[in-house]
Amino acid sequence: SSAVALATLATEHLMDVFATAALLGLSVILLPELRGFSIQLAAAIIFSIASLLVFLLIAKGMDVIPGTNRVPFVQRAVMAVQTLRDSPLRLLLSFLGTLGHWMFLGLSGWIIAQGLNIEVGIAVVVVLFMGSVFFVAAVPSLPGGAITFEAAIVYTLSLFGIQEEPALVFAILMHVIMF
């Protein structure tokens, strides 16, 4: 049903935000080249935690809001979220799948970067994508994050001393792959 689909999409987005926050936090600790960006990464982690709290409040508090008991769609969506909450193994598998997605995306980005003579590590590419996708999701942008994604990638790569032209080619290729 559409209510279950909405609950699934919301949970998937939450897993994505949570995986992003976890990987960004680990990257600040483990990658010395990213320690200069700790303020930006900390802001992303704080935003992730806030998103998680809002999601949990909505899931727990929808029954409290007057009138929601009369809307079958809302009731079905809340029940679907509660079903997921009661399935920790499914949530763990979903989280691990999301982490795997980011890792494989980072690997493909690293391979493309190597082909363009962009010398950055695979972990930096993973963090670069996560930060760019996180930025695109947080600010208003065109459908699919067009232009905003590319701008975030080009800007971030410029912080690592990469020229704009190869950075733009890299950003466009990766956006096509992600799309």
Side-chain angles (χ1 to χ4, degrees):
S1 70
S2 56
V4 173
L6 176 64
T8 303
L9 287 172
T11 304
E12 182 275 330
H13 184 68
L14 179 66
M15 288 294 160
D16 217 20
V17 167
F18 202 56
T20 301
L23 288 172
L24 288 175
L26 282 173
S27 68
V28 170
I29 295 168
L30 300 176
L31 300 172
E33 61 262 41
L34 294 176
R35 290 202 181 118
F37 304 106
S38 59
I39 293 174
Q40 295 92 331
L41 295 174
I45 292 168
I46 290 169
F47 182 72
S48 299
I49 292 169
S51 296
L52 175 64
L53 291 175
V54 166
F55 179 79
L56 292 174
L57 286 174
I58 289 172
K60 287 195 174 272
M62 287 301 285
D63 295 335
V64 180
I65 298 173
T68 57
N69 294 347
R70 294 185 210 140
V71 182
F73 177 82
V74 173
Q75 288 178 327
R76 287 191 305 267
V78 169
M79 286 175 51
V81 169
Q82 290 170 347
T83 301
L84 284 172
R85 185 188 64 210
D86 295 337
S87 303
L89 179 62
R90 286 181 192 227
L91 290 173
L92 175 65
L93 291 174
S94 176
F95 180 71
L96 292 175
T98 302
L99 286 175
H101 162 79
W102 285 113
M103 301 284 185
F104 281 120
L105 189 59
L107 177 62
S108 67
W110 180 76
I111 292 168
I112 289 174
Q114 294 300 305
L116 293 169
N117 292 322
I118 296 174
E119 296 298 325
V120 292
I122 190 169
V124 172
V125 174
V126 171
V127 173
L128 172 68
F129 289 140
M130 288 186 308
S132 298
V133 169
F134 200 78
F135 173 74
V136 168
V139 299
S141 63
L142 293 171
I147 300 172
T148 310
F149 176 82
E150 286 77 13
I153 295 282
V154 169
Y155 173 75
T156 305
L157 284 175
S158 74
L159 298 174
F160 290 96
I162 307 299
Q163 294 180 346
E164 291 178 355
E165 292 82 9
L168 180 59
V169 171
F170 174 76
I172 291 169
L173 286 172
M174 287 313 301
H175 204 171
V176 168
I177 287 173
M178 289 175 60
F179 193 68

